[in-house]
Amino acid sequence: MIDCSRTENYFAEKQRMTKKHKLNHGGYACKLNCADCPLSHLNNGSTMLCSDFEALYPEKAIESVQKWSNEHPQKTYLGEFLKNYPNAPLNRDGVPKMCLYVLGFMSMDDCRDGCIECWNQPIKE
Ligand SMILES: [Zn+2]
């Protein structure tokens, strides 16, 4: 679980949820429809716009993003690997005995000690 009460996680997870992006003519827009967004005025339990809601009720905004984050866990290489190969032998850190780079998903130079970080990287969509 990602702790959304940590500022950097909150913003990262909110970004993953809303997929806010820059428009050609300037300004920003979410890819997520307000109707589907827990922070929007339609769903946040008040009639406030999401930015006002976030500013005035930060705990509730964090709670909403946390709930979304829990319900939409990011896929990791480890999770997907174990889904396909549930009986693969793991090392004492709980990751496969070979590094992810052996499978061609990353460079050998990026390998981290124990390979936990290698395997727990989110799969980019
Ligand atoms: Zn590694």
Side-chain angles (χ1 to χ4, degrees), residues 95-96 98-102 106-108 110-119 121:
V95 298
M98 78 283 194
C99 178
L100 198 53
Y101 75 73
V102 175
M106 57 180 272
S107 147
M108 196 196 296
D110 295 328
C111 181
R112 300 279 168 271
D113 252 359
C115 292
I116 302 179
E117 283 181 46
C118 303
W119 279 101
Q121 291 179 88

Side-chain angles (χ1 to χ4, degrees), residues 20-56:
K20 203 170 208 172
H21 60 287
K22 198 167 188 186
L23 300 169
N24 291 335
H25 56 79
Y28 293 85
C30 298
K31 263 203 183 122
L32 179 68
N33 289 323
C34 291
D36 299 323
C37 180
L39 293 177
S40 87
H41 62 289
L42 300 169
N43 299 318
N44 66 18
S46 74
T47 50
M48 279 177 231
L49 291 176
C50 53
S51 50
D52 295 336
F53 178 74
E54 189 178 49
L56 288 169

